Amino acid sequence: MTIQVLGIDPRSRSKNKLQAPAPLPHVSRRALARVRDRIEPPKSCHCCGGPVRLSDNSVIYNGRSYGDWPFVYRCTQCQAYIGLHPDTDLPLGLMADRATTNARKHSKAPFQRLLVSRFGGDRSRAYAWLAEVLGISRSICHFGMFTKEQAERAGEICRLELGGLV
Ligand SMILES: [Zn+2]
């Protein structure tokens, strides 16, 4: 399956208030404008092609909602899921199983530390560096887009780089 990375959502320039798909309370035009590398909301599962439902993330976390924008696209067949960019209906990346999601979370922590210690909080420089060492295009260099292997490799690279600083 080829997933196309698109530019900023044209709805961000809409003159009218946007319709939010249930159960989202709203979709913010300003928040849409912040998402530079966008992929469309999934119509079918990125993993198995099964049906996707937009739900509260309490379906993932044992009945309790988690976070400020507690929604996910989730496959009703294989249970792969992905969170949403805050105040939008846009997925953070590719739907993934639990192991991939965990690998993404694990690798993001050392990246965040590196972002502060080496890049002075400059996200675009930090991501440009990571894309280069991973040998991938900048537009797909997001933790939400990583496969399990890419996430593990990103984590490894960041941890090595952090080790070199002390
Ligand atoms: Zn699926």
Side-chain angles (χ1 to χ4, degrees):
M1 183 185 347
T2 343
I3 307 286
Q4 233 193 323
V5 179
L6 305 158
I8 289 173
D9 195 314
R11 291 178 300 162
S12 64
R13 294 188 297 272
S14 166
K15 299 257 182 295
N16 307 312
K17 202 169 186 302
L18 300 174
Q19 289 282 341
L24 305 184
H26 59 262
V27 169
S28 149
R29 284 163 284 185
R30 189 178 297 185
L32 288 176
R34 282 196 290 263
V35 182
R36 290 180 173 278
D37 300 317
R38 166 178 62 104
I39 63 172
E40 293 283 358
K43 290 183 182 72
S44 57
C45 177
H46 294 144
C47 298
C48 76
V52 171
R53 193 171 290 165
L54 177 55
S55 343
D56 189 283
N57 68 10
S58 60
V59 295
I60 313 287
Y61 301 111
N62 299 322
R64 294 188 62 179
S65 299
Y66 179 80
D68 292 335
W69 193 245
F71 306 102
V72 288
Y73 286 104
R74 180 170 180 260
C75 175
T76 59
Q77 195 163 277
C78 77
Q79 277 81 52
Y81 67 94
I82 187 73
L84 276 60
H85 285 283
D87 302 306
T88 77
D89 57 355
L90 298 178
L92 289 168
L94 299 176
M95 296 170 65
D97 60 19
R98 196 63 74 130
T100 305
T101 304
N102 285 340
R104 288 172 179 174
K105 278 183 192 154
H106 262 95
S107 57
K108 189 145 191 193
F111 176 76
Q112 298 284 19
R113 284 170 54 204
L114 202 60
L115 170 65
V116 175
S117 64
R118 180 169 157 184
F119 297 98
D122 185 338
R123 245 159 231 292
S124 67
R125 265 183 61 222
Y127 274 108
W129 168 81
L130 185 60
E132 199 182 327
V133 291
L134 286 174
I136 60 175
S137 147
R138 172 66 190 85
S139 66
I140 56 164
C141 188
H142 297 285
F143 284 83
M145 296 294 283
F146 289 164
T147 62
K148 184 164 170 284
E149 290 70 29
Q150 284 174 325
E152 283 165 355
R153 185 152 154 61
E156 210 172 284
I157 289 167
C158 291
R159 273 186 288 270
L160 271 172
E161 199 70 20
L162 282 167
L165 288 169
V166 266

